[in-house]
Amino acid sequence: MGVSTAGYQIEGAVAEGGRGPSIWDTFSHTPGRTLNGDTGDVACDHYHRWEEDLDLMAELGVGAYRFSVAWPRIQPDGTGAPNPDGLDFYDRLVDGLAARGITAVPTLFHWDLPQALEDRDGWLSRETALRFAEYAGHVADRLGDRVTRWITLNEPVVHMAQGYAWGTHAPGRTLNLEALPVAHHQLLGHGLAARQLRERGATEVMITNNCTPVSPASDSEVDQVAAMLYDGFHNRLFNDPVLTGKYPEFLEEGLAPVIQDGDLEIIATPLDALGINYYNPTLVGAPTSEGEMFDLRPIEGVPTTAFGWPVVPEGLHELLTGLKNTYENLPPVYITENGCSTDDVLDDQFRIDYLDGHLGAVKRAIQDGVDVRGYFVWSLLDNFEWAEGYSQRFGLVRVDFKTLTRTPRASFRWLRDALR
Ligand code: IFM
């Protein structure tokens, strides 16, 4: 059991320790991009308060901490020699975790691409995949003597869709289907980085995919086709190539221009585990307007989180057993994120019920034969929720964003007691 966070969402200190600008600095400082113009400039100030945050984890009693390394701290321009101050920060963090008996599980890319790389076309360019592998090597050179479990990318589907197709996240491009190369280049970066990590002693390398079980809104053929397309773009575009070395057939033509010989072998470098982020299932119907491929429908009759996301614990059981049935060679699975946003309250019974329900779903999946090795709550702290700024509170621990005071919620005590 662990907790999960991400660099830009909690660290702050964007101009300290030699850090270079990331696409999220640029995006969040562009008027109109984030709710209330919120930025990650200070966030939870974890960069300075990391010891307090590690103490909270120790009190909670978790065995693992999934955090992300900010690429712009390690390579301010996205290339070249690593910045020692940046590496030092994560070095101290890893030592601090070890001192508290907590396993470090770093994610190497959680969306904060160095702006200098975006200026050279970001993940639309194959070059970024090569740079990512180089960066992974630098981080593993420093941390690989203590870290053996690594995550390459976080939710490449969200980065592609929101960042490059729809423009609702950094870098804010609106390329629609022209964003497809971003999928391939991220996956290539994953495969290349996995090899760098292995060469440096990593024993558990995984990618974290955001997955959702997809259902058609009705039995009609048009709804079923729409659901198949959505499943293809959201789930299979990222799971198939890493687990089977092939893209879904209907996407092969669109991806062909950027695929080079040998790429799929690199992408399918065997995984030691698959990271899954699950939040909710998706109900899909046929498009209602021209130019669309599908229409996402509300799921009626279930509670919704503060974000408006439907709460369906059974969806996690369905997802896990579905993965096992689909992929013969499914490696062990970690739930690398699961959690909910709630109102700004300390007595968050809603979160307790959410976590309890989802842990029950994981237990049933294990009983049904899925090899689930771990579960990370999203998130330890309230944090910068991307385009939604500070409006969505996901933390077991409340953060007062004026004073930066941390206050454990009822869910923190519930989990602590359960873990004891
Ligand atoms: O906050 C995000 C996280 O960065 C990626 N997965 C989903 C979370 C909640 O939206």
Side-chain angles (χ1 to χ4, degrees):
M1 173 71 74
V3 285
S4 197
T5 67
Y8 190 74
Q9 294 184 269
I10 63 165
E11 283 179 4
V14 290
E16 289 181 53
R19 178 185 179 278
S22 80
I23 56 173
W24 269 97
D25 298 293
T26 310
F27 187 81
S28 65
H29 279 272
T30 306
R33 292 302 208 169
T34 64
L35 192 68
N36 305 317
D38 288 345
T39 73
D41 288 2
V42 178
C44 305
D45 196 31
H46 170 79
Y47 186 79
H48 298 114
R49 295 166 198 251
W50 61 272
E51 285 185 282
E52 182 183 350
D53 294 338
L54 264 48
D55 286 343
L56 281 166
M57 285 174 226
E59 190 190 334
L60 182 59
V62 286
Y65 175 41
R66 172 181 180 244
F67 58 95
S68 81
V69 176
W71 189 348
R73 288 199 189 284
I74 308 303
Q75 290 178 304
D77 296 328
T79 180
N83 164 34
D85 288 353
L87 288 169
D88 286 349
F89 173 68
Y90 298 105
D91 200 276
R92 288 193 293 271
L93 191 71
V94 166
D95 280 348
L97 287 165
R100 289 164 180 82
I102 300 171
T103 302
V105 187
T107 299
L108 287 166
F109 182 68
H110 198 123
W111 306 346
D112 46 356
L113 189 74
Q115 180 61 44
L117 291 182
E118 176 57 26
D119 295 343
R120 301 208 292 274
D121 249 358
W123 289 105
L124 289 162
S125 163
R126 188 177 177 90
E127 181 67 16
T128 299
L130 310 183
R131 296 287 72 79
F132 179 65
E134 175 188 87
Y135 148 71
H138 289 316
V139 180
D141 278 341
R142 177 62 90 85
L143 305 182
D145 56 339
R146 285 150 292 156
V147 173
T148 54
R149 192 187 302 165
W150 295 87
I151 299 170
T152 54
L153 307 176
N154 176 70
E155 298 183 359
V157 65
V158 177
H159 192 52
M160 174 193 75
Q162 299 225 43
Y164 287 83
W166 310 330
T168 44
H169 278 186
R173 301 206 193 203
T174 48
L175 298 169
N176 294 315
L177 280 178
E178 304 291 307
L180 262 185
V182 171
H184 183 67
H185 294 142
Q186 286 186 94
L187 288 165
L188 181 63
H190 152 76
L192 291 168
R195 293 178 174 195
Q196 295 293 320
L197 296 170
R198 283 263 165 66
E199 279 171 20
R200 290 161 176 81
T203 53
E204 266 187 297
V205 178
M206 56 182 134
I207 185 172
T208 277
N209 283 337
N210 180 303
C211 294
T212 178
V214 177
S215 310
S218 77
D219 288 343
S220 74
E221 200 182 326
V222 280
D223 283 351
Q224 292 198 30
V225 169
M228 187 274 290
L229 289 174
Y230 189 83
D231 183 46
F233 275 105
H234 193 101
N235 298 314
R236 292 185 47 217
L237 172 56
F238 296 91
N239 288 332
D240 283 12
V242 294
L243 295 173
T244 70
K246 286 198 188 110
Y247 282 114
E249 228 174 274
F250 80 100
L251 289 169
E252 276 174 353
E253 200 183 315
L255 286 160
V258 292
I259 301 178
Q260 294 186 8
D261 279 354
D263 282 3
L264 280 154
E265 286 75 37
I266 294 171
I267 290 170
T269 301
L271 289 173
D272 302 296
L274 179 66
I276 298 288
N277 291 354
Y278 170 78
Y279 288 91
N280 52 258
T282 308
L283 188 66
V284 181
T288 49
S289 49
E290 217 179 304
E292 285 181 349
M293 275 184 286
F294 32 71
D295 180 48
L296 304 187
R297 306 276 167 83
I299 296 177
E300 309 289 352
V302 297
T304 51
T305 71
F307 227 147
W309 296 353
V311 179
V312 187
E314 176 52 26
L316 181 51
H317 172 260
E318 183 188 335
L319 173 70
L320 291 169
T321 50
L323 285 167
K324 181 170 182 284
N325 294 336
T326 307
Y327 301 103
E328 271 175 14
N329 60 339
L330 184 71
V333 169
Y334 286 86
I335 309 302
T336 41
E337 286 182 26
N338 178 236
C340 61
S341 62
T342 61
D343 294 338
D344 184 12
V345 292
L346 285 174
D347 187 5
D348 56 344
Q349 185 61 41
F350 188 92
R351 179 170 289 102
I352 295 175
D353 293 342
Y354 182 100
L355 296 176
D356 197 31
H358 286 77
L359 283 165
V362 174
K363 186 175 174 188
R364 289 197 299 284
I366 294 171
Q367 285 162 350
D368 290 340
V370 186
D371 186 359
V372 184
R373 297 280 171 94
Y375 173 99
F376 293 79
V377 178
W378 184 269
S379 183
L380 176 71
L381 304 170
D382 290 342
N383 57 50
F384 175 77
E385 177 55 29
W386 309 112
E388 302 305 319
Y390 294 97
S391 67
Q392 296 299 323
R393 292 181 174 269
F394 275 91
L396 295 167
V397 176
R398 178 177 187 271
V399 176
D400 178 325
F401 289 106
K402 289 202 177 76
T403 62
L404 298 169
T405 305
R406 278 93 160 120
T407 310
R409 293 196 162 99
S411 57
F412 179 99
R413 291 186 289 280
W414 171 82
L415 189 57
R416 178 197 63 195
D417 294 348
L419 287 171
R420 276 181 191 164

